[in-house]
Amino acid sequence: TSITISDGVTSIGNDAFISCYSLAEITIPDSVETIGEKAFYLCEVLTTVNYTGTEEQWAAISIDWGNTPLTNATIVYNYGVSTEE
């Protein structure tokens, strides 16, 4: 299963995706500033996080406890961002 969070969302709440056992991939916009406790708890097959921002922006997100599946996933930075001018 794959989920895309809408651009403009600033927070992913506590328990938002708790026990989504089939969640394997999620796209998170760079507008997200906080991820609540256990938002991704028990999402054990989550392997890929597509993040529309930079590695520095990702590091600035406040990620509460209980989100090990999220923090252990592979983060793809600048997802969907065109590098062409």
Side-chain angles (χ1 to χ4, degrees):
T1 301
S2 175
I3 294 174
T4 299
I5 305 292
S6 298
D7 192 31
V9 170
T10 59
S11 179
I12 298 173
N14 296 349
D15 305 328
F17 299 100
I18 194 169
S19 300
C20 285
Y21 301 113
S22 65
L23 180 61
E25 180 176 5
I26 189 162
T27 300
I28 299 176
D30 60 6
S31 58
V32 169
E33 300 170 354
T34 60
I35 297 174
E37 63 186 53
K38 298 195 296 184
F40 294 93
Y41 189 69
L42 298 176
C43 297
E44 299 301 328
V45 299
L46 181 62
T47 56
T48 305
V49 176
N50 300 312
Y51 180 63
T52 64
T54 65
E55 186 172 358
E56 292 77 22
Q57 287 172 296
W58 177 261
I61 296 174
S62 174
I63 302 175
D64 253 334
W65 68 276
N67 286 297
T68 303
L70 177 75
T71 57
N72 284 346
T74 299
I75 313 297
V76 179
Y77 301 104
N78 298 311
Y79 181 79
V81 176
S82 174
T83 56
E84 295 181 26
E85 304 212 7

